[in-house]
Amino acid sequence: MVEFGLKLEDNKVSEWSQHYLDYEKLKAILKKAKSARQNYEEFLKRRTEKRGSFFGSPTASSIDLENEEVVNETTNLIVSPEKKVMSPMGSQVDLSDPSAVHEEVQKQKSNSNLSLTRLSNYFSRDERSYTTKIEKLSKEFEDLLAVELDKTVDFYKTRLSELDIRLETLVQSVAQSSILAPTFVQDEDEGNASITASTSPKVRQHSKQPSMTKGRFASVVSIVSKKIRKEKKIFDALQKGDTDQALQIELLSIDDDDEDENHVENEKVLAEANSIKRALIDQYRTTILLKNFAIMNYTGFIKIVKKHDKTLPQNKGKFKSLIKPEKLFNEGKEVDVLSQRLVRYFANWFCEGDVREATTEMLPKKGDGLEMDWSQLRLGYRMGMCAVLALWVCWDCIWGLVSDGNTTIGGRAAFPVFRACGGLLLLQWFWGCSVFIWSRYRVNYIYLFDLDPRIVSSAMSIFEDAVENTLVFLLVMLLYYKAGASDIPQWIPTGWFPMFLVLYTVTQLIFPLKTRIPMWGAIWKVVTAPLNSPSFFHGYIGDIFTSMVKVFQDIAWTICWVCSGQFATYENLRDRATFPWENAHWYKNFLIPIVCLFPLLIRFNQCLRRYIDTGDRVPHLPNAGKYALSQTVTLFGAFHPLYMGLDQQRGLFGIDLFQVFWMLIFVTSSLYSFTWDVFMDWGLGRKKYGYLGPTLMYPKKNYYFAVIGIDLVLRFMWVLTLLPPSSGAKFEVPSYLSAVTMMLELFRRTIWGFLRLENEHRSNAAGFRRVSFVPLHFNTGHGHKYSDKKHGGQSVLKEVVLVSIVVLGICVSSIIAAQSANARHSQFTTSDGSEF
């Protein structure tokens, strides 16, 4: 789990960094206190052991004078060969004289009491030194905590007061403006709480049509120029003495002057309206950042006090009264009220009262103020190469063959290898799309997934990696096809091309270690769900696994293909090689059904573990039931051949009871999963909110309804993907549609994730967080990995030139080879067209 200190650094506003809670400094004090407490506990343990050893010997009254061992042990006297004992002081004591022995024992007992007193004093001094150190660190923590509380709360209140004053000043300036007063009028119903736009459409029209403002300066210049020309004509007429012409020019320009004055007046209104619009947006963004400031600091205080209570249990609950919400930012409620006022003003003035449109327009988009860099040129260049290769592959390997009646690349022996690697590649593209959408609409996926912000990649970086992998994928697929069609020399077996793709994919899944080790660690916790308490991120990965059933089937096929050594064989375009293990019992009836069931079993176990951890039957047990029902569909499809021959067991009218039973389970599972998506995972379907949710982060309602409709259709397709291939069931998906169903399911899971994280962001639906609210995600200016790396122009141009030279060289070589082949062919052709 990522430490909160990293989350705090990731969500800091760089300009306010010195006003945030110094979490690391408080944590360092607690670390010292923990070490001091451990040393003190070890000291107490040693003291107990030493005191026990000191008092462990029997008393002098129980000494048996006839037993030399007892005398030696209890009195510390040394027994001599003459049956005399030697005291530690060197004097001899005769054992036959009991009074002498007793006297010596009393002397040693007195010395022991003196030693005990000295030992106690020694331990007391050490104990005071340990306790003093712990108390000193506790006092240091308390003082620093008080300072941090005052610092953060004072800054919060100061900024909140400044924002409130700025808003009131803006409202007053609008009300008192001689230009805007006729346009923006006070709403008597809401008093100072809201100002609405008048029915004049002038500002509204210009604010909604930015293109009309582009020529504003040119229009004003033309008006001024027209006036100058008019005055020059009048002056020239008066110089000539033609007063009638001067009067006529003046009369003709009156209407133009009125129009121009109105136009200039409109331009002034538009200029001030845009100024107010920018001021509202700036204040609104500042309120959002201030809300994030309150959230992060409040969470930090809660966590550091909890850590304090765990480190110093004797002071547990000491600071409980200091971190109550009403004393610490009041959960940012004042900022919420202020931001709502700003949105209301903006909506009434510029969006015709549409609050949702106003909220979307006022929030900054990811990348505001960022300059274009050469990385985008490189990405576009590589995506163009991918598009060309994709068209080449589609035409040469699929459509060209269909027109000739030959076997397409989908019928080649190693095509499942490409399908498996292609599924992983498609998942990478969809992950980049998810990161882009979440970042654009401020869904804080880094916070929700508990990711380390130092190693998180931006959407642009993910797309760049995906483009590189796509280029390799398409090139290998094209070479594999061309080698099998004998269009290129078969210097190596054709199976080595997909084998190279497998090795490349494995390399990409392992390196770079800095990001892949956390990824595989999370996957391991997902796979061992019953043994680990799942987090929200682990549950999300488990859901993705349920959508990758087809991918996992192809991965299993690829592993068998590699282990059997089939990659070292040559292939022919017209032959569809089959492998013995494809029809083996262990593969068809054991391995593949397990692969289909395993992702569902993972999510089933995660739901049960969540129930054990929380004790809440709802929603965890119904969610587990959803995956259990899906497993039933898989098992029914896997063992369908067992009852395919039972045609005699039919009901009335010759209806196949097994078929009806399976269809009932299929429809129930699909509708159950769809209903759970809408109501539980997305928090939608509330009638009082227009069958959506109370608060939405995406701008258009149509987006939500479109996703709901797509999910309803593709949920039925997903259930069909749970059936093992070649099971013999009448309702299984044809093999030639496997790649299509795989892509559709990954697409459905991606758009499902858009709304799933939005619901978790705004409502803590899964209950993984102690503090329910989550800060909106902003690029705070820190140098984390997810800040896009800008590439210099020279490096990008070098790459473009290099690739262009390679492509040009290949083209020239192809032309020369083709001409040479035609020349050789013509040498063996007679003049009448017959060949030797």
Side-chain angles (χ1 to χ4, degrees):
M1 182 175 292
V2 178
E3 296 180 355
F4 176 77
L6 292 174
K7 291 184 178 181
L8 181 62
E9 289 297 324
D10 178 56
N11 287 276
K12 276 185 178 180
V13 180
S14 56
E15 294 83 359
W16 301 349
S17 57
Q18 59 181 349
H19 302 288
Y20 279 81
L21 162 70
D22 197 342
Y23 184 83
E24 294 298 330
K25 191 173 182 180
L26 289 168
K27 185 178 175 182
I29 296 175
L30 291 180
K31 188 175 181 181
K32 293 180 181 178
K34 182 179 180 180
S35 177
R37 183 173 65 85
Q38 290 176 349
N39 293 336
Y40 178 58
E41 291 175 352
E42 292 176 0
F43 160 77
L44 294 178
K45 185 177 179 181
R46 291 197 308 269
R47 185 180 68 176
T48 303
E49 292 175 353
K50 289 186 177 181
R51 284 187 172 179
S53 63
F54 186 85
F55 291 106
S57 60
T59 61
S61 59
S62 62
I63 295 177
D64 184 3
L65 299 180
E66 300 298 330
N67 192 333
E68 296 180 6
E69 295 180 357
V70 173
V71 172
N72 186 21
E73 180 183 357
T74 58
T75 63
N76 202 24
L77 301 180
I78 303 172
V79 181
S80 65
E82 294 82 7
K83 297 297 181 178
K84 294 182 179 182
V85 294
M86 299 292 295
S87 69
M89 301 303 295
S91 59
Q92 293 187 357
V93 180
D94 191 357
L95 288 176
S96 61
D97 187 359
S99 60
V101 174
H102 182 71
E103 182 180 356
E104 186 64 28
V105 169
Q106 291 300 324
K107 287 180 181 180
Q108 291 196 26
K109 193 174 183 181
S110 178
N111 293 334
S112 298
N113 290 333
L114 180 60
S115 299
L116 176 61
T117 302
R118 292 176 179 174
L119 184 63
S120 298
N121 293 335
Y122 170 76
F123 279 121
S124 297
R125 287 196 303 270
D126 279 0
E127 183 175 6
R128 283 195 299 271
S129 66
Y130 283 115
T131 55
T132 301
K133 185 176 182 180
I134 294 175
E135 292 173 358
K136 181 180 178 181
L137 291 171
S138 178
K139 185 65 167 58
E140 183 181 356
F141 177 85
E142 182 178 358
D143 294 341
L144 182 58
L145 183 66
V147 171
E148 296 299 319
L149 283 168
D150 294 338
K151 179 182 71 174
T152 54
V153 173
D154 289 346
F155 177 78
Y156 173 76
K157 291 181 178 179
T158 302
R159 296 294 299 182
L160 184 62
S161 177
E162 291 176 358
L163 288 171
D164 193 59
I165 293 173
R166 286 175 60 187
L167 179 58
E168 293 300 329
T169 303
L170 180 64
V171 172
Q172 293 299 326
S173 66
V174 172
Q176 296 173 5
S177 174
S178 59
I179 298 177
L180 296 178
T183 306
F184 298 108
V185 296
Q186 185 78 19
D187 190 349
E188 298 179 356
D189 296 334
E190 297 186 8
N192 293 328
S194 176
I195 292 182
T196 58
S198 70
T199 56
S200 175
K202 297 174 183 176
V203 174
R204 218 177 280 160
Q205 181 182 5
H206 286 290
S207 64
K208 284 196 171 186
Q209 297 180 8
S211 60
M212 297 181 64
T213 66
K214 294 180 181 178
R216 182 177 61 193
F217 180 76
S219 299
V220 175
V221 171
S222 65
I223 294 170
V224 176
S225 300
K226 189 185 297 183
K227 288 184 177 181
I228 294 175
R229 289 194 300 269
K230 180 195 71 174
E231 292 175 357
K232 187 176 184 300
K233 288 180 181 180
I234 295 174
F235 179 77
D236 291 340
L238 291 175
Q239 286 289 335
K240 296 177 182 179
D242 193 351
T243 56
D244 293 337
Q245 184 180 0
L247 181 61
Q248 185 179 4
I249 294 173
E250 183 69 28
L251 292 174
L252 291 174
S253 62
I254 291 177
D255 295 336
D256 292 339
D257 290 343
D258 293 339
E259 183 180 353
D260 294 340
E261 288 176 2
N262 292 333
H263 186 70
V264 171
E265 186 69 20
N266 289 340
E267 293 294 335
K268 291 180 179 179
V269 172
L270 181 60
E272 275 205 49
N274 286 335
S275 177
I276 292 171
K277 186 176 183 180
R278 289 192 298 269
L280 285 173
I281 291 175
D282 179 66
Q283 292 187 41
Y284 180 75
R285 296 179 180 183
T286 305
T287 58
I288 295 298
L289 294 175
L290 190 61
K291 175 68 179 297
N292 288 357
F293 175 87
I295 290 172
M296 295 307 299
N297 283 285
Y298 175 65
T299 307
F301 280 119
I302 287 179
K303 287 184 174 293
I304 202 67
V305 169
K306 184 179 179 181
K307 189 179 290 290
H308 166 270
D309 294 345
K310 185 177 180 180
T311 304
L312 301 174
Q314 66 272 19
N315 297 334
K316 187 176 182 180
K318 184 177 182 179
F319 305 109
K320 186 177 181 180
S321 60
L322 296 178
I323 59 171
K324 291 183 178 179
E326 55 270 16
K327 292 186 178 181
L328 278 179
F329 317 109
N330 196 21
E331 298 182 350
K333 293 180 180 179
E334 296 87 352
V335 182
D336 287 337
V337 173
L338 183 60
S339 63
Q340 289 172 8
R341 290 180 61 195
L342 288 166
V343 172
R344 202 157 54 242
Y345 285 133
F346 193 93
N348 292 333
W349 289 352
F350 302 104
C351 301
E352 300 182 357
D354 192 339
V355 176
R356 187 183 304 281
E357 181 182 351
T359 304
T360 304
E361 190 170 350
M362 294 177 77
L363 266 180
K365 302 298 183 292
K366 194 77 172 178
D368 278 1
L370 295 180
E371 298 178 356
M372 289 287 291
D373 65 280
W374 287 85
S375 299
Q376 298 184 11
L377 173 61
R378 188 179 72 164
L379 179 62
Y381 182 73
R382 292 184 175 181
M383 290 188 70
M385 294 170 59
C386 287
V388 173
L389 279 174
L391 290 174
W392 189 359
V393 169
C394 290
W395 175 256
D396 214 13
C397 305
I398 300 176
W399 298 112
L401 296 176
V402 170
S403 61
D404 295 337
N406 296 325
T407 304
T408 66
I409 193 172
R412 297 291 295 277
F415 184 71
V417 176
F418 291 95
R419 201 164 53 202
C421 297
L424 297 177
L425 180 60
L426 191 63
L427 184 65
Q428 186 181 22
W429 277 103
F430 283 148
W431 174 250
C433 294
S434 300
V435 171
F436 174 78
I437 294 297
W438 293 329
S439 301
R440 179 176 177 82
Y441 295 103
R442 306 301 176 190
V443 179
N444 203 337
Y445 70 98
I446 299 176
Y447 192 96
L448 294 172
F449 283 155
D450 217 12
L451 302 176
D452 187 346
R454 295 171 299 183
I455 60 174
V456 174
S457 298
S458 67
M460 184 66 69
S461 298
I462 297 172
F463 287 144
E464 288 181 352
D465 294 339
V467 165
E468 293 177 359
N469 296 334
T470 304
L471 283 172
V472 175
F473 177 82
L474 293 174
L475 282 173
V476 173
M477 178 180 284
L478 193 61
L479 290 173
Y480 171 67
Y481 165 74
K482 291 295 185 181
S486 300
D487 290 340
I488 60 175
Q490 293 189 5
W491 294 326
I492 59 174
T494 52
W496 275 104
F497 292 106
M499 184 62 187
F500 169 79
L501 182 62
V502 171
L503 296 177
Y504 177 82
T505 304
V506 171
T507 303
Q508 294 297 309
L509 292 174
I510 297 177
F511 300 101
L513 294 176
K514 187 176 182 180
T515 57
R516 296 301 185 260
I517 290 177
M519 180 189 75
W520 285 108
I523 291 176
W524 172 252
K525 290 184 178 180
V526 171
V527 173
T528 58
L531 306 178
N532 299 288
S533 182
S535 65
F536 176 69
F537 184 48
H538 298 153
Y540 187 84
I541 294 176
D543 284 320
I544 291 178
F545 280 0
T546 60
S547 298
M548 295 178 63
V549 173
K550 287 295 182 184
V551 180
F552 290 147
Q553 292 175 8
D554 289 331
I555 290 176
W557 190 97
T558 302
I559 294 173
C560 295
W561 179 76
V562 172
C563 294
S564 64
Q566 299 293 333
F567 58 87
T569 59
Y570 288 88
E571 299 179 17
N572 187 281
L573 178 64
R574 298 182 178 276
D575 295 338
R576 170 62 173 95
T578 57
F579 307 107
W581 45 266
E582 285 186 289
N583 297 319
H585 177 77
W586 62 268
Y587 177 83
K588 188 174 182 180
N589 297 326
F590 182 75
L591 179 60
I592 294 301
I594 287 180
V595 170
C596 296
L597 284 171
F598 191 61
L600 299 172
L601 185 61
I602 289 175
R603 283 297 289 136
F604 180 81
N605 291 334
Q606 285 181 335
C607 295
L608 294 183
R609 180 56 189 262
R610 283 289 293 161
Y611 166 64
I612 294 173
D613 292 341
T614 63
D616 298 330
R617 291 185 176 88
V618 179
H620 304 304
L621 290 185
N623 198 18
K626 178 185 70 173
Y627 293 104
L629 189 59
S630 299
Q631 291 179 48
T632 304
V633 176
T634 304
L635 290 172
F636 196 93
F639 297 105
H640 186 74
L642 297 180
Y643 51 82
M644 284 181 62
L646 301 180
D647 294 335
Q648 67 276 11
Q649 296 187 10
R650 296 180 178 268
L652 296 176
F653 308 107
I655 298 176
D656 190 344
L657 298 181
F658 289 103
Q659 188 82 1
V660 173
F661 177 69
W662 185 89
M663 289 299 298
L664 180 62
I665 297 177
F666 170 77
V667 174
T668 303
S669 177
S670 301
L671 293 178
Y672 189 0
S673 300
F674 167 73
T675 305
W676 190 273
D677 287 344
V678 176
F679 286 92
M680 303 301 294
D681 289 342
W682 299 341
L684 304 177
R686 286 11 180 210
K687 185 176 181 180
K688 63 179 180 179
Y689 300 112
Y691 295 98
L692 295 177
T695 56
L696 304 175
M697 300 181 69
Y698 299 116
K700 300 294 184 180
K701 292 183 179 180
N702 293 337
Y703 294 168
Y704 294 89
F705 291 117
V707 171
I708 291 174
I710 293 172
D711 187 75
L712 175 61
V713 175
L714 296 185
R715 264 297 180 182
F716 286 88
M717 185 68 70
W718 171 74
V719 175
L720 285 177
T721 63
L722 300 178
L723 294 178
S726 304
S727 63
K730 300 177 182 178
F731 33 76
E732 71 170 290
V733 179
S735 58
Y736 58 85
L737 291 179
S738 296
V740 177
T741 57
M742 177 185 69
M743 291 188 290
L744 290 176
E745 174 53 26
L746 290 177
F747 170 74
R748 186 199 67 82
R749 182 58 66 183
T750 301
I751 61 175
W752 172 89
F754 296 162
L755 303 187
R756 179 67 187 92
L757 258 75
E758 181 216 24
N759 185 34
E760 188 66 20
H761 181 109
R762 55 184 170 83
S763 64
N764 192 19
F768 285 98
R769 304 186 307 278
R770 187 176 183 272
V771 179
S772 59
F773 42 75
V774 175
L776 292 176
H777 183 63
F778 287 89
N779 189 351
T780 53
H782 300 286
H784 299 307
K785 186 178 184 295
Y786 61 83
S787 297
D788 293 335
K789 180 181 178 182
K790 294 186 177 181
H791 299 272
Q794 289 186 350
S795 63
V796 177
L797 287 177
K798 287 179 181 178
E799 179 182 340
V800 172
V801 172
L802 179 62
V803 174
S804 300
I805 292 175
V806 171
V807 172
L808 183 61
I810 293 175
C811 293
V812 172
S813 302
S814 300
I815 294 173
I816 294 174
Q819 294 294 332
S820 176
N822 290 333
R824 288 195 305 268
H825 184 269
S826 62
Q827 294 177 1
F828 292 94
T829 305
T830 60
S831 58
D832 59 355
S834 61
E835 296 183 1
F836 292 108

